[in-house]
Structure formats: structure tokens, C-alpha cells
Amino acid sequence: MDPAASGAPPDTGAPAKGRGAAAPEQAAPSGEAPAEGRGAAAPEQAAPSGEAPVEGRGAAAPEQAAPSGEAPVEVTVAGTRVTRTAGSAHVIKSRQLERFEHDDPHAVLMSVPGVYVRGEDGLGLRPNIGVRGVNPDRSKKVTLMEDGVPISPAPYSAPAAYYFPLITRMSNVRVIKGPGAIAHGPQTVGGTVDLITRSAPSLASGALDLALGEYGYGKAHGYLGSSDGQMDFLVEGVHLRSDGFKELPDGADTGFYRNEVMLKGSYVVDPTARIKNELRLKLTYSEELSNETYLGITDEDFEETPLRRYGASALDRMRNHRTAVALTHVIEPSPGVSVTTTVYRNDFSRVWRKVNGFRGANLFDVLAAPDTPQNAVYYAVLTGQLDSSTPGETLLIGPNERDFAAHGVETRVRWNTTTGPVSHRVEYGLRLHYDRVERRHSENGFQLLGGTLVPDGGPTVVTQLNEAWTEAAALHASDAITWRALTVTPGVRVELMRSAFVDRAAGSEQTRLAQALLPGAGAYFALTEELGLLAGVYRGFSPPAPGSDEHVEPELSVNYEGGARFADGPLRAEIIGYYNDYSNITDVCTLSSGCLDAELDRQYDAGEARIYGVEAYAEHEVPLGQLKLPITAAYTLTQTEFLSSFASDDPIFGRVVKGDEMPYVPRHQASLSAGVEHERAGVVVGGSYVSAMREKAGGEPMSEALATDAQLLIDVSARVRVVGPLVLYANARNILGSQYIVSRRPFGARPNAPRWIQVGAKASF
């Protein structure tokens, strides 16, 4: 296992220092971002042990150049430096996030090789993220964390991530693949995405970021914090909004607003004591209202008006809110030993009212073939050309209400020691976790009359009334063993679960027990100070759906990787090959993939499969006098293959024949960004390419398959420091104005965001 992802402290050999401005190298709590640069004037100084430095995102200061001749800070992920990690690990640093000021997490993660995204609303409100070929649907096969704490609404019982934090308040993003994934979980087949938030500054300071743009875009983001060496605090808030770029017949709003507030505080019992004893508290509140829909349009309508929305979706709306609390205690009883314990609780509620289909027809079928005699009538009703005239032409619209809760406690013990010439960075971890989801889905009939939705007067029909819960205990252990140029990182994870599914409508209950033993190991050998080889193997795991029958297996695989990495100052380049050998690949049906009520949240076992490919990455900041030229490039080649034949009610699979390729995995994916930066100004251009992706498993040529469009998107961003701390910036998203079909699931073609100009101003104080 890779301790670079596990939270073990790096092999620095330095004892932990007292807290305060003179002690930037102390260990941070598990998953916690370090104190950022000890003040606005010094955003680049070393971060606490085991963490990437946080550069104060949202302020104007982080973009300025480091003092002349100053060596760049080596970014680390806990355990070892990223450049010497015995496995795949990437850190998207604050400076990289600042360059484009993306609000869509899809756009941010595209810069990491091996990470795939499936577009949906064009805004990234509910991201679909996959790692190394796992199904990206609702990011349910990826472990999502914020500051080391799981953030999926119910990571075991309902991992589909209908909540994702605003990326603009993140200071850096860590993506962990390979053996390091088993330090987290429960989803370990693909990897982990850990979003790191800002820490309180050591001096009283803050920043404000205001932006406006086309389509009613608006952003207000600010923070304020301080510290006296014993206590610190940080308050941060973000408001993000848009009127939407899709067009309803009546011109109604198709946009959204989101609000997030975070409060952090910490207290050191005695800053002068030999034994460090610290408490940290983090509180978060989030809310969203978005006029979003699952209803797309036909391919023919997309060709004519890609931003069109049918009037049948006029009532569709998502409302959600989330509260989260995390209390962390850190104690360092002796040099080289730390114990970090975090107690956490997340609550998430959502109500999504949306059109689900016709009483007499499936919406996907109607939009896929609108010209057949039967579908032509339904299509005419959808588009307002005809009024509903029969019971079958009645639209079924209703809210999917879901309440989620997740809470637990996690302790990580880290120990740095040596045995002769061999150094060890040991970590033991234990997490006790409980989560649940309650579902209440209902719908009513509506007729489209004169282009307006009118209730048909029928009774409300309850389509889902159930609850699922899981109790889990997870243990992991690792030891990063270094001797001369070789680092070997063996580790193991154990998952023990008890889950249940209670169908209140049918009056039935199913329970089951599950367990998994997940060993792994990684190795890194330094051929020179700059060049090294890495290799790893581990067992991947995804838990079975709650209450599933005993014959339903968890997802299990044996994953291999190997490659080479070169790092010399700001220059980093690597190439890694990987091979994921599944003994059982699984799928859990969701409405976002097109499943109907009878199949929702049901798991399907697909048997043996394999996913393999190559990831390449390079970054550099080329110095050129007072200028620097930042360049970042990533490329991923992926092959997928089912090794078993099976049938599934999930429409993205259907009837699969051995040898078929998997849906929503692009064969080729690439990103490139390059710019010119000065202390007072800068401009950067970024582009991404994703080849066409199957929307249904199959083996036919892509030109004959149901598939998304190949996508080429180019963004441009520029900034200028006007005076003092004031910075003005401008972003042009999708500057070519290209429109692509990013998905047809669940109901028809949906577009990416159009060309979008945004301007803003930042100031720190």
C-alpha cells in the first residue's frame, strides 16, 4: 500500500515543532489542509508535514512570483513526496486552480490522467467521475472526501454522489490511484478524490472574489481568519448563481443558485508543552436550488437548437441542503508519533421534482426514434405541437425525496522510526461508520395543453418507499519502508459490513453481512535523484448494495500498475501503465443511467472483465527572465472488455456478449494548458479532448454505436494586477462555441455549456 495516500508523515526525520508562525512543518490532522503560508504575504512557504501547501485560493496574492532564486516548495501527499510516491498520486495545486477559476469540477479533474468525466447539465452540479475505467455514473465507484472525511451522502448504502462541494473554495485537489487507494475506501477499485479546504491563516487576513458573466452568472466568494498562536478561526462563504443557458419555450429560468458556508477553528491546549494536544472543529452548510431536468431532446432537434428544452420539463427543479460537522483531536505523545481522531456527521436532504415519462411510453425510446408512427404522437406532445388526448399521453411528474445521514469516527496512528539503516513510516487506521438513506418517490399525471402542464386530477402514486442502512468497520495498516534508493510500501485493508434494505411499501426487509480482505503493496526505486521506477499491486473492492441477496457478490479486482517518473524542480513527467483484472464487476442501477423504478438501486453482477491502459503526464514552469511559461499536459489511453456474457435491466448494459466494450469510457483523452505569466499579469490557454464514448455496452464500430460526440474544448483566462492587492481577471469558457452531445441518458441528448465569458475582481487584505 502507498502511504503517500494513507496519511503517514513524510520521511523528514525532523521532530514536530511547536505551533505558530515558526512551526510550519508540524503534522496536520488526517486529511486536513495545512495552514496556508502563514499569512497573505508568504503563500509559498513549506506546508505542514504530510500535506500539500495551500496557497490561499480566492486571494490575489498566490499568483505572484516567488522571490528570485527561491527554490520551489516540494509538494507532498502524506507519507512521501509526490515525486517519490510508490504509486499514482496527483495534486492539483492552488496555483493551477487559480489559473482558470473553474466552477465545474469536471473541467478541473480533466487535467489528471486516468480520470474520466461524463457530462450532464453542462455545469458540473452533480459530477459523474470515473477513475481508470470504472462507471462514472454519479461518481458512485470513486471514494470522494473533503479534508479526509467521506462526503458521499451515504458512502456504503447509496454512494451515488448527488452532492459535490463547490470547487471554487478548494485549496487543492488530490487524486490517489493504485495501491494507495486502500487507505481510504469503501470504493477502492478506481481511486480516491480528496478535496482540501483552506486552513486558518496565522495572521488576521482575508480575501474577496466577485465575478459576473453571461447567462446571469454571478459569484461572491470571501473568507476571513486569524490566529494568536493558540487559537485560530476561519469563516468562508460562497454564493454561485446563473440564469441558465438552456431555453424553455416560455423563457423561464433554467439556472441555479448554490450557497456554501464553512467555519473552522482550532485550539492548542498548551503551545509550549512537549506533548502537542490540539482540537479542531469544522462546520459546513450547503444549499442548492437548480431548475435542472433529466429530459433531453432528439438528435435532430439538437442539430438545429442544441440549447433547447421542451416545455414538458418546465416544472423540473432540484432543492437540497446539507450540514456537516467534523471534530478532530490530534495528540503527539512523543517525537515521531501522532494520533489523529476525527468524529464526523453529514446530513443531506434533496427533493427533485422532474418528468419521469409518459404513462404509455418510455421517454428514451420516444426521443431515440421520434419518427415511428407511435412515437411521433408522443414527440408532438412533448414539443407542444399536439395536446395530450389519451391516458397514455399523460406525463408522469413527481418528486424524488431522499434523506441521507452518515456519521462515524476514525483514528489514525502514525509512527516514524528506524531500524538500523532502514526507515519506517507506519500507519494504523480504524473507522467505525454508519450511513442510511430514506427514499420517498411519488408522481402525478399532467397533460400538456396549449404547451402548458395541467394536472390531470388523478391521485398521487407512490413509486418508492424504502430505507437502506449500513454499519461498517474498516481497518487499515501500512509501513513505508525505505532503504537507500528503495521504498517498499506493503499494506492491508479490512472491511466488515452489516446492511439492510427495508421496503416499506411491500413490508419486507433484507439484511446481509459482507467482508473483504484487501492487501496491497507498492515500490519505488530511485535510479537517480530525478528518475525512478514504480510498481504496485492491490485488491480493489466495491461493497454490495444493501440488502442484496447472498449470491450477489461485491465488486472485486486485482489491480496492477507500473511506470517511471522524472522530477527535477518544477519539471515533472511520468508514464504509468495499469491493468485492472476483475473477478466480478458490478453495476447499481440509477435513474441517471435510465433505470426505471422497479430496477432502481438494484445491483447487477457482470462477472469477469478487464480494464487496462496507459497514463502520461508532464508539467513544467519554464523561466524566461521575469516571465514564466507554465505548461501541463496529460494523456490517457484506455481499453475495456467484458469477459463474460450477461443480461442486465440497466439500459447502459442490456444484453452483453463476451468481448463487448464498456460504456462511458473514452478510448483517448488528453488535456493541455500553456501560458505566459508575470508578477503583474498573465494569460493561459487550456484545451481538452475526449473521444466518443459508448452509451451502451457493445462491440460494433463506434461509428455505428449509440455514442456521445468526440469533444474538443478550449478555455482562455487572463489576469492583471491593477494596484496593490487588486487583481482583475477574465475567463472565456469553450471559446470556440462548440456544442456536443455529452449524454443521452436517461432521456435524450443534452449539451455541454456554450461559449461563456466571465469577468471578476479579487482583493486580499
Side-chain angles (χ1 to χ4, degrees):
M1 194 194 97
D2 181 6
S6 71
D11 184 21
T12 62
K17 300 180 182 179
R19 196 162 179 272
E25 298 197 8
Q26 67 184 36
S30 175
E32 187 80 14
E36 51 194 345
R38 321 314 296 167
E44 303 253 352
Q45 75 179 64
S49 170
E51 296 292 344
V54 179
E55 301 168 2
R57 190 156 186 247
E63 299 251 25
Q64 55 192 335
S68 176
E70 184 173 311
V73 176
E74 173 62 54
V75 176
T76 63
V77 180
T80 51
R81 291 177 294 166
V82 167
T83 54
R84 296 205 170 196
T85 294
S88 294
H90 287 264
V91 177
I92 305 174
K93 292 168 283 188
S94 180
R95 183 168 297 185
Q96 294 168 293
L97 293 171
E98 288 271 358
R99 284 182 176 128
F100 287 102
E101 284 293 336
H102 282 299
D103 300 309
D104 185 347
H106 286 160
V108 171
L109 291 167
M110 278 287 293
S111 65
V112 179
V115 178
Y116 318 94
V117 298
R118 173 190 136 189
E120 179 176 319
D121 49 47
L123 302 165
L125 296 177
R126 277 159 285 283
N128 298 290
I129 303 166
V131 177
R132 289 188 170 174
V134 302
N135 186 353
D137 179 48
R138 283 290 174 269
S139 310
K140 61 192 176 188
K141 295 289 187 180
V142 177
T143 294
L144 299 177
M145 302 189 299
E146 181 177 307
D147 294 333
V149 175
I151 57 170
S152 297
Y156 287 84
S157 302
Y162 285 87
Y163 165 78
F164 199 89
L166 288 174
I167 200 74
T168 190
R169 68 180 179 88
M170 298 304 150
S171 292
N172 60 69
V173 179
R174 298 186 292 181
V175 179
I176 301 160
K177 302 167 284 183
I182 63 176
H184 304 290
Q187 310 288 341
T188 65
V189 172
T192 298
V193 176
D194 192 6
L195 306 166
I196 307 301
T197 63
R198 181 188 322 278
S199 291
S202 61
L203 302 175
S205 60
L208 187 63
D209 180 0
L210 301 175
L212 297 171
E214 294 179 288
Y215 306 107
Y217 174 83
K219 177 176 69 171
H221 177 196
Y223 74 86
L224 176 68
S226 185
S227 173
D228 64 5
Q230 183 172 24
M231 299 180 64
D232 64 32
F233 79 93
L234 175 79
V235 179
E236 183 169 13
V238 182
H239 172 74
L240 195 66
R241 69 170 309 277
S242 168
D243 294 337
F245 54 82
K246 296 176 187 174
E247 301 163 358
L248 281 164
D250 63 358
D253 190 337
T254 61
F256 74 96
Y257 73 77
R258 292 188 65 185
N259 295 316
E260 289 194 356
V261 179
M262 180 182 72
L263 171 64
K264 277 186 175 183
S266 71
Y267 174 73
V268 178
V269 176
D270 183 356
T272 65
R274 183 183 62 83
I275 296 177
K276 176 185 174 182
N277 198 349
E278 182 179 6
L279 286 172
R280 294 191 172 207
L281 176 66
K282 175 184 171 186
L283 304 173
T284 309
Y285 174 80
S286 306
E287 65 179 8
E288 174 191 324
L289 186 150
S290 54
N291 299 309
E292 276 302 328
T293 180
Y294 276 144
L295 182 62
I297 58 179
T298 66
D299 285 13
E300 292 77 9
D301 287 341
F302 189 95
E303 288 295 323
E304 279 190 26
T305 316
L307 303 183
R308 179 181 182 182
R309 255 179 69 172
Y310 300 145
S313 68
L315 300 180
D316 290 15
R317 173 175 289 185
M318 160 75 87
R319 287 182 180 269
N320 66 55
H321 70 271
R322 178 181 186 267
T323 58
V325 57
L327 178 63
T328 299
H329 175 250
V330 181
I331 186 169
E332 296 178 0
S334 62
V337 178
S338 68
V339 181
T340 302
T341 301
T342 300
V343 180
Y344 59 89
R345 168 85 185 205
N346 305 326
D347 291 273
F348 179 68
S349 298
R350 47 150 282 201
V351 179
W352 196 347
R353 188 190 199 195
K354 52 189 168 41
V355 58
N356 296 320
F358 283 106
R359 185 166 279 141
N362 180 285
L363 282 172
F364 181 86
D365 296 337
V366 170
L367 296 176
D371 296 327
T372 65
Q374 183 177 7
N375 288 346
V377 176
Y378 289 114
Y379 170 74
V381 173
L382 270 182
T383 55
Q385 301 172 54
L386 291 177
D387 289 345
S388 301
S389 59
T390 68
E393 295 164 14
T394 299
L395 283 163
L396 301 176
I397 299 174
N400 283 6
E401 298 183 51
R402 299 182 188 178
D403 294 324
F404 303 82
H407 59 255
V409 56
E410 181 171 30
T411 296
R412 292 181 183 241
V413 180
R414 306 179 182 103
W415 178 32
N416 284 6
T417 188
T418 60
T419 53
V422 179
S423 66
H424 301 262
R425 283 90 70 205
V426 180
E427 175 174 296
Y428 305 103
L430 169 65
R431 179 195 292 162
L432 303 177
H433 178 93
Y434 170 85
D435 61 43
R436 75 170 188 272
V437 56
E438 298 178 16
R439 303 180 181 92
R440 300 177 299 279
H441 299 182
S442 62
E443 59 191 18
N444 291 88
F446 284 78
Q447 295 183 327
L448 264 172
L449 304 176
T452 302
L453 288 165
V454 179
D456 70 349
T460 299
V461 176
V462 176
T463 58
Q464 292 267 312
L465 186 61
N466 58 59
E467 176 184 355
W469 56 263
T470 302
E471 297 171 335
L475 305 92
H476 76 271
S478 69
D479 184 5
I481 306 166
T482 298
W483 178 71
R484 295 186 178 179
L486 176 65
T487 298
V488 180
T489 60
V492 66
R493 184 179 187 86
V494 176
E495 290 273 3
L496 305 171
M497 293 153 287
R498 184 167 74 99
S499 63
F501 180 84
V502 182
D503 190 333
R504 301 197 183 282
S508 62
E509 180 175 353
Q510 291 178 286
T511 61
R512 71 167 292 173
L513 301 174
Q515 60 281 322
L517 177 65
L518 310 171
Y524 179 87
F525 183 75
L527 298 173
T528 68
E529 184 65 26
E530 297 81 17
L531 177 64
L533 304 178
L534 63 92
V537 58
Y538 76 101
R539 193 180 197 199
F541 170 75
S542 182
S548 54
D549 295 335
E550 291 296 330
H551 72 273
V552 174
E553 299 292 332
E555 184 164 273
L556 291 171
S557 65
V558 178
N559 300 345
Y560 308 86
E561 69 173 8
R565 181 184 297 127
F566 180 88
D568 183 11
L571 171 61
R572 176 182 172 182
E574 68 179 32
I575 183 166
I576 296 175
Y578 68 92
Y579 185 97
N580 293 356
D581 185 9
Y582 290 81
S583 57
N584 184 47
I585 193 169
T586 67
D587 170 59
V588 177
C589 234
T590 64
L591 186 58
S592 59
S593 65
C595 290
L596 303 177
D597 284 320
E599 286 80 41
L600 284 181
D601 304 298
R602 179 181 172 187
Q603 177 174 313
Y604 295 95
D605 291 350
E608 296 181 355
R610 60 183 178 183
I611 302 172
Y612 55 97
V614 176
E615 302 167 353
Y617 179 80
E619 64 175 336
H620 193 28
E621 286 191 358
V622 182
L624 193 64
Q626 293 187 335
L627 302 177
K628 60 181 177 181
L629 311 180
I631 302 173
T632 302
Y635 171 73
T636 308
L637 169 67
T638 310
Q639 297 274 15
T640 68
E641 184 180 6
F642 287 106
L643 302 179
S644 304
S645 299
F646 65 96
S648 166
D649 289 329
D650 190 331
I652 69 172
F653 290 136
R655 184 168 297 278
V656 173
V657 177
K658 179 181 178 181
D660 281 354
E661 294 182 343
M662 298 175 188
Y664 292 112
V665 181
R667 176 70 57 84
H668 303 282
Q669 179 173 291
S671 69
L672 174 66
S673 70
V676 179
E677 292 182 344
H678 183 268
E679 181 178 349
R680 298 195 60 85
V683 62
V684 62
V685 179
S688 63
Y689 171 79
V690 181
S691 62
M693 296 183 285
R694 296 180 185 275
E695 297 200 85
K696 183 177 181 180
E700 70 274 23
M702 193 66 73
S703 59
E704 302 173 11
L706 180 68
T708 66
D709 292 337
Q711 302 164 40
L712 174 63
L713 299 174
I714 298 177
D715 297 337
V716 179
S717 184
R719 64 164 181 86
V720 59
R721 185 178 301 277
V722 179
V723 59
L726 179 62
V727 172
L728 302 182
Y729 65 89
N731 302 313
R733 316 291 191 205
N734 184 16
I735 195 168
L736 300 180
S738 306
Q739 297 285 186
Y740 304 109
I741 295 177
V742 297
S743 177
R744 292 182 183 83
R745 302 292 183 185
F747 310 131
R750 287 185 287 176
N752 61 297
R755 182 186 296 110
W756 201 336
I757 308 298
Q758 301 160 2
V759 296
K762 292 183 179 184
S764 60
F765 53 87

